[in-house]
Amino acid sequence: MNTTPEYDTIDLRQMFWFLLKKWKVLLAAVLIGALLGAVVTALRGEKTVDSFDMEKLDQDSIQQYVAYQKLYEDHLKHEQGSVLLHMDPNAVYSGRITYYLSAGYSTELAAIRFNAILDKPDVLEELKTAAGLNCEEQTVRELVGIWYNKRSEPNVQLVSSDDLESLPRSAVVTVSAIASTQESCEAMLDVLRRRVEEMDAQCREAYENYRFETISDQVTFGYSSTVANAQKEEADQRSAYVTQLKTLEKGLGADEKEYYKLVYEPDEKPQQRGMLSLLKYPVLLAMLFGLLAAVVYCVQFAMDGHIKTVSDVREAYGVHVLACLSSGKKPRRGIDGWLDRHSQKAEPPANSREYLLTALNTLPQKNLLLCGEAADGGIQELTGWLSGQNPALQACGLLQSDARAQQAAPECDGVVMFVHLWKTSRMELEREIEICRTRKLPLVGVVTVEEA
């Protein structure tokens, strides 16, 4: 038998049922919050574009936010449709063809003509069809490329302007394509190879001293720095947009934000926007009031010092529970009755008065003090009935407050304490245990009376 409890914890299951039993108050708090929200909405009125004072609005900040929002949306749209950004950089098929080009002084002009092959719309459409893609032209341009590098010819001295045309010049033209499958990569390379051959035929007729030869033509599989770098740049760019948008949004006031929603969000239906505007404050205040009421009850539950369950007596203080009685009140109906029945499933079933009387009569201790709160009419009526059934059972108040109980204590064989759940405090029970131990009175057990 412990004077103080072995632990001081909060039973979350018990707190949950405690909150549910307060459903009427919680519902009332929610309704009051919704009503106040409706009043606030009515007082504010519906916002329109004409209701704003344009001179007080920070138009520059709004326009800057709109511009960045448009850039961010375009960036996200491109990211979703990009094939390159969804590739695995460690599993990429990379095709590359390199050509040697020389056309004297016109070498760079010829190289530019090869470089302009991808500027033709029909080429991009042919590439999309060959690779089986259904995307925008920009997405196709990310997968293919044609560029050239000029090569210098050292140790050449120009004697006169007549030798300008015969000056040896050359360039390397590179054609590339990347894809996630080998078939798509080779199909795009075939299209580009054919277009390069057509341009080669045109250049042979246009330039003298023209020379165009293939240096290498291959397809490799593995890691692609092109894909990895593109994905890293995309992530950095998206992060920069998000950071800038958050910074700009912090600089917007409440009126600027509402003006932006009314003017620059045309995709949102006006009826939907109006309904959301009407429900905004009622819903927020209803949730706030309901949450505040729940917090108040949780704090009340946590700070409450009364004994709430039979487990509080048996497990915390190690006291034997002789019987568990109900208060005798009429059971509640409806939601309250359903909550009472389900919250009590984890507790022992209620015993009758006759059961308690039989339990007391069979104890080895015969002369017993039945101690209960003197101000509790239900307990005093119960102990009085037990005393009338067996004169050896003497009804009295608590030892800590009843002088008659103190006088009768030396002549009794033991003490039985009556605990009214949710009314008897832990301090009262601990004080009774301490008195019994000090006066060497055996605390035979405890009888719990359930609060209706």
Side-chain angles (χ1 to χ4, degrees), residues 111-384:
I112 291 175
R113 297 182 65 175
F114 283 99
N115 192 43
I117 291 177
L118 292 178
D119 295 336
K120 301 178 181 179
D122 60 324
V123 176
L124 298 177
E125 289 295 331
E126 188 175 357
L127 288 170
K128 288 169 57 177
T129 304
L133 299 176
N134 184 16
C135 55
E136 298 179 353
E137 291 184 358
Q138 179 61 29
T139 302
V140 180
R141 290 182 183 274
E142 295 175 348
L143 302 177
V144 296
I146 298 178
W147 67 92
Y148 68 93
N149 296 318
K150 293 187 295 182
R151 298 178 63 183
S152 60
E153 299 291 345
N155 301 323
V156 175
Q157 295 181 357
L158 187 60
V159 177
S160 65
S161 58
D162 297 334
D163 299 329
L164 188 61
E165 290 294 332
S166 61
L167 184 66
R169 298 173 181 270
S170 65
V172 174
V173 178
T174 305
V175 177
S176 68
I178 57 176
S180 57
T181 63
Q182 184 176 359
E183 293 77 9
S184 298
C185 182
E186 292 179 349
M188 289 189 290
L189 277 182
D190 289 339
V191 172
L192 295 175
R193 187 182 293 108
R194 185 171 62 257
R195 292 288 181 164
V196 168
E197 291 174 355
E198 294 175 359
M199 183 60 64
D200 176 35
Q202 297 176 14
C203 290
R204 289 184 183 278
E205 297 178 358
Y207 305 111
E208 296 181 359
N209 301 321
Y210 176 81
R211 182 182 175 188
F212 190 76
E213 298 178 358
T214 302
I215 299 176
S216 64
D217 186 346
Q218 61 181 356
V219 176
T220 59
F221 175 76
Y223 175 79
S224 173
S225 60
T226 302
V227 176
N229 292 335
Q231 293 177 351
K232 182 179 182 302
E233 292 177 1
E234 185 278 331
D236 294 341
Q237 185 64 46
R238 182 175 66 239
S239 177
Y241 279 135
V242 172
T243 302
Q244 185 63 26
L245 282 174
K246 289 182 178 179
T247 303
L248 293 174
E249 188 175 2
K250 289 180 180 179
L252 297 177
D255 290 339
E256 282 80 5
K257 291 180 180 179
E258 291 190 15
Y259 182 82
Y260 170 80
K261 290 180 180 179
L262 287 173
V263 178
Y264 296 101
E265 291 184 354
D267 294 339
E268 187 176 359
K269 296 181 180 179
Q271 298 85 353
Q272 182 182 3
R273 184 170 60 244
M275 183 62 65
L276 292 176
S277 178
L278 291 175
L279 294 177
K280 176 182 177 181
Y281 290 102
V283 171
L284 289 179
L285 289 181
M287 294 175 60
L288 178 62
F289 275 61
L291 181 61
L292 286 177
V295 170
V296 169
Y297 277 123
C298 287
V299 173
Q300 177 186 346
F301 181 90
M303 300 298 293
D304 185 76
H306 293 92
I307 298 174
K308 304 177 181 66
T309 63
V310 179
S311 301
D312 291 346
V313 178
R314 181 190 298 116
E315 298 177 5
Y317 295 95
V319 180
H320 177 60
V321 178
L322 295 174
C324 305
L325 278 68
S326 63
S327 60
K329 295 183 180 180
K330 185 177 180 180
R332 297 189 294 180
R333 297 181 179 180
I335 298 178
D336 293 324
W338 182 87
L339 292 173
D340 290 340
R341 290 190 299 272
H342 284 76
S343 64
Q344 294 168 3
K345 285 185 176 181
E347 298 296 328
N351 305 122
S352 62
R353 292 187 174 190
E354 290 74 16
Y355 172 86
L356 174 58
L357 179 61
T358 302
L360 295 175
N361 291 334
T362 56
L363 290 173
Q365 299 89 346
K366 298 304 179 183
N367 297 323
L368 298 174
L369 280 182
L370 307 182
C371 299
E373 178 61 46
D376 194 324
I379 288 183
Q380 290 304 315
E381 188 275 332
L382 175 60
T383 56

